[in-house]
Amino acid sequence: MQHYDVIVAGGGTAGFAAAVTAARAGKKTLILEEKAYLGGTATGAQISMFMGFAQGEAQAPLKGIVRDVLDRLTAEGGTSGIQTIYLSGQKELDVDVIPYESDILKSVLDGLVCEAGVDVLFHTRVIGVEMDGKRIAGLKIHNEEGVQTVAGDVIIDATFHGSVAVESGCAWEAGDENGVLQPGTLMYKIAGVDQERYAQVTQKEKEELAAKGIAQGCLYVNNLLARPLPNGVLYSNMSRVKVNPMDSFGWSRAEMEGREQVRKISRFFIENVPGFEHAYVVSTGDFTGLRDSRRILGQYKLTNEDVLEGRPFEDAVAQSSYPIDIHDTDGVSSRVMKPRNGVFYIPYRCQITQVSNLILAGRCISAAYEAHACIRVMITCMRLGESAGLAAAESLNRGCAANELDGRILKEKLLG
Ligand SMILES: Cc1cc2nc3c(=O)[nH]c(=O)nc-3n(C[C@H](O)[C@H](O)[C@H](O)COP(=O)(O)OP(=O)(O)OC[C@H]3O[C@@H](n4cnc5c(N)ncnc54)[C@H](O)[C@@H]3O)c2cc1C
């Protein structure tokens, strides 16, 4: 294997953004992805709606990687643009979002990494690290060619689970104070819906239908969550499974449980919800979408108060207004807390650890349980990827370790 300036482990929203940013900055970049496509949870789990804008941002011209994704999705018919939705149907919980078609997003991401000149290795899993003191000397990978080692100057861990960080000795946390994780969801898409009829169902009626479905053991959340995509298909976020990815047998059972729930939910909709009489399921996610896994302990742990108070940081690399949004462990409802000043910031120190050439990107960064529940959305993950890619390039240009880079340089370029 060749030597790379930057290696990105995991090609989700954070990983692809990190790789594109590093390559655009002139760095020889490799992305390693165990699946056959980029996007991770965004595409594979069919999440279908980007969230995480900072207040007022959606009305202003966007910049950076989010702009590139939005422009290309629009050009390919994969989105009808930015919309405002209301969490739990509540007017005060308005959130700007970009709904997208997940198969079109896969092609958009292919185009962006290829144009940036990133080397892409699909069907390749990172299985370990070779350490040289506090530095990762190489990543052990496995694919059909066998086990190999690939070396890079800077390693970005965008694996969702923080797998590279764990292998290199970083400490981590998972779940709430009892170690309980938020539930996962197998998303599905449904066609043949009379959307005019469905649009007439009031929020009160939705909640009544949801209560009926829960009582019958066919529904798992206290609302009807089915939203349209540009192609007229609806996507639904209604299954809730208890899942812990650090328990592989349990995770396997959860995948089957998700499919069983989707079967019951879709039947309930067809039999009970106006507009769904002739509907049919066209696809389910390739895997159950996980809301939770490890949170790596970095040089700084973002706290709940940092989010709720909107505390500024000299090394802030991303901002967002997405509220703390914790799905109850029983899955039925959510606990939502808005940042009091409308916006919160994430410092670069949440992306670095004691490992000198490692940068964290995406969901696995260093954050407390509740704070994590608002940084995990995909616009934020993309921006954390962008920050990681830029930090990798800047540290190489300046000849310093990634975990010693002055985050103020990043703030200036990303938020300045
Ligand atoms: C049900 C559900 C609903 C959600 N709703 C929304 C929403 O409406 N809007 C929103 O913005 N966010 C939402 N989220 C959150 C969001 O989708 C995720 O937190 C986000 O996509 C995580 O991005 P990531 O890049 O950190 O990880 P991922 O997108 O999961 O990417 C990680 C990638 O790494 C790869 N990988 C993992 N381990 C290895 C390895 N060892 N070797 C090689 N590759 C590896 C994986 O295959 C994957 O491609 C939702 C999440 C869930 C589960």
Side-chain angles (χ1 to χ4, degrees), residues 90-347:
Q90 294 178 41
K91 284 279 176 215
E92 65 278 14
L93 294 179
D94 54 314
V95 177
D96 293 322
V97 302
I98 307 173
Y100 63 86
E101 216 297 306
S102 50
D103 279 317
I104 297 181
L105 179 62
K106 285 181 185 168
S107 311
V108 164
L109 301 185
D110 286 346
L112 284 166
V113 291
C114 291
E115 284 166 35
V118 177
D119 283 357
V120 179
L121 212 42
F122 285 140
H123 302 298
T124 301
R125 182 167 170 80
V126 178
I127 55 168
V129 296
E130 285 176 5
M131 297 298 290
D132 174 10
K134 294 250 178 225
R135 185 177 173 280
I136 299 174
L139 291 180
K140 281 188 230 159
I141 58 174
H142 178 256
N143 54 27
E144 274 312 295
E145 295 177 54
V147 176
Q148 300 166 74
T149 300
V150 57
D153 294 326
V154 180
I155 310 296
I156 297 176
D157 184 346
T159 58
F160 187 97
H161 308 286
S163 310
V164 176
V166 172
E167 290 292 324
S168 45
C170 296
W172 53 274
E173 298 174 335
D176 63 12
E177 66 276 12
N178 300 313
V180 179
L181 277 65
Q182 291 191 63
T185 291
L186 181 64
M187 304 286 290
Y188 69 97
K189 292 181 182 170
I190 191 157
V193 179
D194 180 341
Q195 291 194 39
E196 280 182 21
R197 264 169 66 67
Y198 179 51
Q200 284 159 20
V201 181
T202 64
Q203 182 60 30
K204 186 165 172 287
E205 288 166 335
K206 284 184 181 172
E207 287 167 19
E208 286 166 0
L209 280 163
K212 176 179 169 187
I214 290 170
Q216 290 179 359
C218 304
L219 294 188
Y220 308 88
V221 281
N222 59 4
N223 198 359
L224 302 188
L225 303 173
R227 297 183 194 279
L229 288 166
N231 61 6
V233 170
L234 274 74
Y235 66 98
S236 182
N237 175 345
M238 292 210 47
S239 68
R240 293 291 181 272
V241 293
K242 286 194 167 66
V243 56
N244 179 346
M246 278 83 72
D247 164 11
S248 302
F249 276 115
W251 193 2
S252 305
R253 284 192 298 276
E255 296 290 1
M256 292 191 242
E257 166 69 15
R259 285 189 275 278
E260 179 60 11
Q261 287 192 12
V262 165
R263 193 183 64 75
K264 289 184 185 169
I265 298 162
S266 54
R267 178 149 298 280
F268 180 88
F269 266 69
I270 290 164
E271 290 174 356
N272 294 277
V273 180
F276 281 75
E277 295 81 356
H278 304 292
Y280 53 96
V281 173
V282 285
S283 67
T284 56
D286 292 355
F287 52 88
T288 291
L290 301 175
R291 292 186 173 83
D292 244 340
S293 183
R294 299 185 195 95
R295 305 185 304 276
I296 302 301
L297 291 172
Q299 290 193 1
Y300 184 79
K301 181 160 94 171
L302 191 75
T303 68
N304 309 335
E305 284 310 303
D306 291 336
V307 170
L308 293 173
E309 299 295 337
R311 286 183 185 147
F313 293 100
E314 281 192 327
D315 60 338
V317 288
Q319 58 179 343
S320 170
S321 294
Y322 193 73
I324 292 176
D325 175 14
I326 300 176
H327 294 250
D328 290 352
T329 48
D330 67 3
V332 174
S333 58
S334 294
R335 204 155 36 100
V336 181
M337 289 172 275
K338 283 177 92 164
R340 289 191 266 277
N341 296 325
V343 75
F344 70 90
Y345 303 92
I346 305 170

Side-chain angles (χ1 to χ4, degrees), residues 9-15 32-35 37-42 47 49-52 124-127 158-161 163 183-187 237 240 287-291 361-364 376-379 381:
T13 41
L32 301 165
E33 170 52 55
E34 65 180 330
K35 301 208 164 55
Y37 48 82
L38 298 169
T41 302
I47 300 301
M49 187 163 65
F50 291 124
M51 293 171 162
T124 301
R125 182 167 170 80
V126 178
I127 55 168
T159 58
F160 187 97
H161 308 286
S163 310
T185 291
L186 181 64
M187 304 286 290
N237 175 345
R240 293 291 181 272
F287 52 88
T288 291
L290 301 175
R291 292 186 173 83
R363 198 217 60 82
C364 63
R376 67 187 177 87
V377 288
M378 294 183 283
I379 289 175
C381 286

